[in-house]
């Protein structure tokens, strides 16, 4: 028996895979819901406002998202890691103090960041030069009002993940907010389709999410027995912020990578191109939602295993989770890259011009999913400074390429800059965990998952060449691709870990 197989047989490894599978299925359900309703919401905005109006709204969304993730100060990830470690090692006695150490600075930082948005009109007009100045200022101020409450909610959800459950995060971020946004946006788009009402439709669920996150955290603490007062002097303030401070900076780079293209296009090109790029980004983000679902499930498990020196089990969990991500994500990106015009036509005829940019980002995203959650391993092993170095290098690449390429190539230039950053960041993280931490990804299951993706790619390429990039070609490609995928999945179910996963689900049902 090989070393990976022996690791897989240990009870700790089996329990970790089981916990990751349970959390992963919640994450998959949430990711599917998020993808569907996010598509619907973007479609509502683009149909109601056109590419230029949608670009203005999503420029505000991008600014809000970057600021909220910046003002978290890395506290949410710090809580995921340190709360799970405290429960595993110390029985959870320091959780109350950890929460105070995390929430108060995040609330102060987000309140301070709100002031320029409310008091500096020139910031709004610089970001949205194609809007009338009064509309630009009002739109940016509206986003600023919701910033503190949304930031605190994200930190509280990080604490629930540290307690070993992804249900509150999935319920709020991946189900509750996307669904509520659509429910609010439908009547707004029908009766009062304007920039401010539709921006408010996106913002109001952030308030509702924070109101739900607080009682969800209280319930987690009651169930896990961490609701008791922290022992005086037991809160590792220095350990918390030594880890969280580099993560605070790297999270800025992470979220900026998603939205900086929208802001560059709005400032250096046109709002219409920013709207097209937003739709492309939504498609690409939807393709990585499975990776996010697995990340939510495995992050506290890896942190717990490393806290009790079960390094081999943590490595096994990383290999298994990477195999699952590649198996289900590669065929999806290949499908989108084969039929980009048809996919983008969902948003309207204006968006079909973004097909080349969508292909570029699909190829880069295949590199992303191929290395699994390498960055999560860096963070959960306490190497937040390494993660900062990786994300800083990637963001420098993106910003440099973006400033050079966006004025010349527009949407394609923004896609090239983001794609370059994705490749640099993920390959760097994979090399670090391989060379410095001993986490590998390649085994029989991984190579079989890659082979499955390549087989589906051949089938989809044939369908594209025969049917073309239209609805009938996409339907034929999906049908043939699913047949090829299902056949390969059944034939190689053992090396792919499908048998192990089914066994987990059967035990869970029993």
């Amino acid at each position: 028996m090989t070393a990976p197989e022996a690791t897989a047989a240990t009870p700790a490894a089996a329990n970790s895979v089981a916990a990751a599978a349970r959390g992963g299925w919640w994450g998959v359900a949430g990711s599917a819901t998020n993808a569907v309703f996010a598509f619907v919401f973007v479609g509502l905005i683009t149909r109601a406002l056109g590419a230029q109006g949608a670009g203005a709204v999503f420029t505000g969304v991008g600014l809000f998202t970057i600021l909220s993730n910046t003002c978290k100060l890395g506290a949410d990830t710090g809580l995921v890691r340190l709360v799970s470690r405290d429960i595993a090692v110390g029985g959870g006695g320091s959780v109350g103090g950890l929460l105070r150490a995390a929430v108060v600075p995040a609330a102060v930082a987000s309140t301070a960041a709100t002031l320029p948005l409310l008091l500096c009109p020139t910031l709004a007009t610089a970001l949205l030069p194609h809007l009338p100045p009064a509309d630009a200022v009002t739109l940016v101020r509206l986003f600023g009002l919701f910033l503190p409450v949304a930031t605190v909610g994200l930190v509280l959800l990080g604490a629930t993940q540290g307690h070993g459950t992804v249900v509150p995060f999935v319920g709020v971020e991946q189900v509750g907010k996307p669904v509520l946004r659509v429910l609010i946006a439908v009547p707004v788009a029908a009766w009062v389709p304007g920039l401010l009402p539709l921006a408010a439709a996106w913002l109001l669920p952030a308030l509702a999410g924070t109101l739900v996150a607080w009682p969800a955290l209280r319930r987690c603490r009651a169930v896990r027995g961490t609701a008791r007062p922290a022992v005086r002097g037991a809160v590792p303030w220095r350990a918390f912020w030594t880890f969280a401070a580099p993560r605070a900076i790297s999270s800025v780079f992470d979220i900026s990578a998603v939205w900086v293209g929208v802001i560059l296009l709005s400032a250096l090109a046109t709002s219409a191109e920013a709207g097209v790029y937003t739709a492309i980004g939504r498609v690409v983000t939807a393709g990585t939602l499975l990776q996010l679902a697995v990340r939510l499930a495995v992050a506290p498990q890896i942190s717990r295993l490393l806290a009790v020196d079960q390094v081999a089990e943590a490595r096994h969990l990383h290999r298994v989770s990477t195999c699952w991500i590649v198996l289900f994500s590669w065929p999806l990106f290949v499908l989108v890259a084969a039929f980009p015009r048809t996919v983008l036509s969902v948003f309207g005829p204006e968006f079909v011009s973004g097909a080349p940019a969508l292909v570029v980002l699909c190829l880069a995203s295949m590199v992303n999913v191929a290395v699994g959650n390498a960055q999560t391993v860096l963070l959960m092993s306490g190497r937040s400074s390494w993660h900062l170095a990786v994300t800083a290098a990637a963001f420098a690449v993106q910003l440099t390429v973006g400033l050079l390429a966006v004025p010349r190539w527009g949407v394609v230039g923004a896609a090239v800059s983001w794609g370059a950053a994705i490749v640099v960041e993920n390959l760097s993280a994979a090399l670090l965990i391989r060379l410095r931490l001993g986490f590998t990804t390649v085994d029989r299951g991984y190579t079989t998952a890659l082979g499955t993706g390549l087989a589906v790619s051949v089938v989809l390429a044939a369908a594209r060449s025969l049917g073309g990039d239209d609805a009938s070609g996409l339907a034929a490609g999906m049908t043939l691709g699913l047949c090829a995928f299902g056949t390969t999945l059944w034939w190689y179910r053992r090396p792919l870990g499908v048998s192990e996963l089914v066994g987990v689900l059967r035990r869970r049902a029993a």
Side-chain angles (χ1 to χ4, degrees):
M1 180 177 292
T2 64
E5 292 171 334
T7 301
T10 64
N15 291 337
S16 299
V17 171
R22 290 193 295 270
W25 283 112
W26 279 106
V28 168
S31 297
T33 305
N34 189 5
V36 170
F37 281 89
F39 263 103
V40 172
F41 183 81
V42 173
L44 286 170
I45 299 295
T46 55
R47 295 284 183 175
L49 301 177
Q52 182 168 345
V57 170
F58 287 113
T59 298
V61 171
L63 176 65
F64 179 89
T65 306
I66 290 172
L67 288 177
S68 62
N69 280 270
T70 300
C71 294
K72 290 186 305 181
L73 305 177
D76 58 333
T77 307
L79 289 174
V80 173
R81 179 173 183 264
L82 293 178
V83 168
S84 60
R85 289 175 65 88
D86 186 63
I87 292 173
V89 178
S94 300
V95 170
L98 287 170
L99 286 172
R100 288 192 296 274
V103 172
V104 173
V108 172
S110 56
T111 303
T114 299
L115 297 179
L117 302 182
L118 300 178
L119 304 176
C120 186
T122 56
L123 175 63
T125 55
L127 284 174
L128 300 166
H130 306 290
L131 286 183
D135 291 345
V137 171
T138 306
L139 184 64
V140 170
R141 284 176 175 172
L142 179 63
F143 279 99
L145 289 174
F146 285 83
L147 182 60
V149 66
T151 302
V152 171
L154 293 173
V155 175
L156 295 178
L157 290 174
T160 63
Q161 291 176 253
H163 281 81
T165 176
V166 300
V167 175
F169 183 91
V170 170
V172 171
E173 289 294 314
Q174 296 188 320
V175 177
K177 287 184 180 180
V179 171
L180 191 55
R181 280 169 181 150
V182 170
L183 293 178
I184 297 173
V186 168
V188 170
W191 296 325
V192 282
L195 291 174
L196 295 178
L198 288 170
W202 190 88
L203 284 166
L204 286 172
L207 174 61
T210 301
L211 294 177
V212 172
W214 179 248
L217 176 58
R218 293 186 63 181
R219 185 176 185 277
C220 289
R221 296 186 67 188
V223 170
R224 296 302 297 268
T226 64
R228 60 188 183 276
V231 179
R232 182 178 298 275
V235 179
W237 285 77
R238 173 172 290 186
F240 182 87
W241 285 110
T242 298
F243 172 82
R247 176 55 184 157
I249 304 173
S250 65
S251 65
V252 178
F253 297 138
D254 281 339
I255 199 64
S256 296
V258 179
W259 290 102
V260 71
V262 177
I263 296 174
L264 285 176
L265 285 167
S266 180
L268 302 178
T270 66
S271 294
E273 288 180 293
V276 172
Y277 185 76
T278 299
I280 294 170
R282 179 53 58 189
V283 174
V284 172
T285 303
T288 60
L289 287 176
L290 174 64
Q291 186 178 18
L292 172 62
V294 175
R295 179 186 306 157
L296 295 175
V298 304
Q301 297 298 324
I302 290 177
S303 176
R304 179 184 61 82
L305 290 171
L306 294 177
V308 294
D309 293 327
Q310 293 179 338
V311 179
E313 287 78 3
R315 291 170 178 167
H316 170 70
L317 179 58
H318 174 65
R319 284 194 299 273
V320 171
S321 63
T322 302
C323 179
W324 294 346
I325 293 168
V326 171
L327 179 64
F328 292 101
S329 296
W330 259 44
L332 178 60
F333 281 118
V334 172
L335 176 68
V336 174
F339 302 93
R341 295 175 63 86
T342 305
V343 172
L344 289 175
S345 66
V346 173
F347 301 104
E350 297 174 276
F351 294 83
V352 174
S353 61
L358 180 56
V359 173
V360 169
L361 286 175
C362 283
L363 295 176
S365 297
M366 292 174 70
V367 176
N368 177 12
V369 299
V371 304
N373 288 314
Q375 298 180 60
T376 300
V377 173
L378 283 178
L379 290 171
M380 293 302 104
S381 63
R383 271 68 174 186
S384 57
S385 58
W386 296 6
H387 185 262
L388 171 59
V390 168
T391 54
F395 186 73
V397 170
Q398 181 175 8
L399 193 59
T400 302
V401 176
L403 290 172
L404 295 174
V406 167
R408 180 176 298 181
W409 299 335
V411 176
V412 175
V416 169
S417 66
W418 189 12
I422 290 172
V423 172
V424 169
E425 182 173 350
N426 285 280
L427 291 183
S428 299
L431 286 173
L432 277 175
I433 68 168
R434 173 66 181 90
L435 299 177
R436 302 298 297 272
L437 301 177
F439 278 75
T440 60
T441 56
V442 178
D443 59 6
R444 186 185 176 193
Y446 180 82
T447 54
T448 305
L450 288 180
T452 301
L454 293 175
V456 174
S457 301
V458 172
V459 172
L460 290 175
R464 166 65 188 272
S465 63
L466 295 175
D469 188 358
D470 53 27
S472 60
L474 177 61
M478 290 181 65
T479 302
L480 295 174
L482 284 173
C483 291
F485 179 76
T487 302
T488 308
L489 188 65
W490 174 257
W491 189 262
Y492 293 103
R493 62 190 182 276
R494 192 172 299 278
L496 287 171
V498 175
S499 301
E500 182 179 9
L501 184 59
V502 170
V504 168
L505 296 179
R506 285 177 176 174
R507 290 192 297 272
R508 178 66 173 173

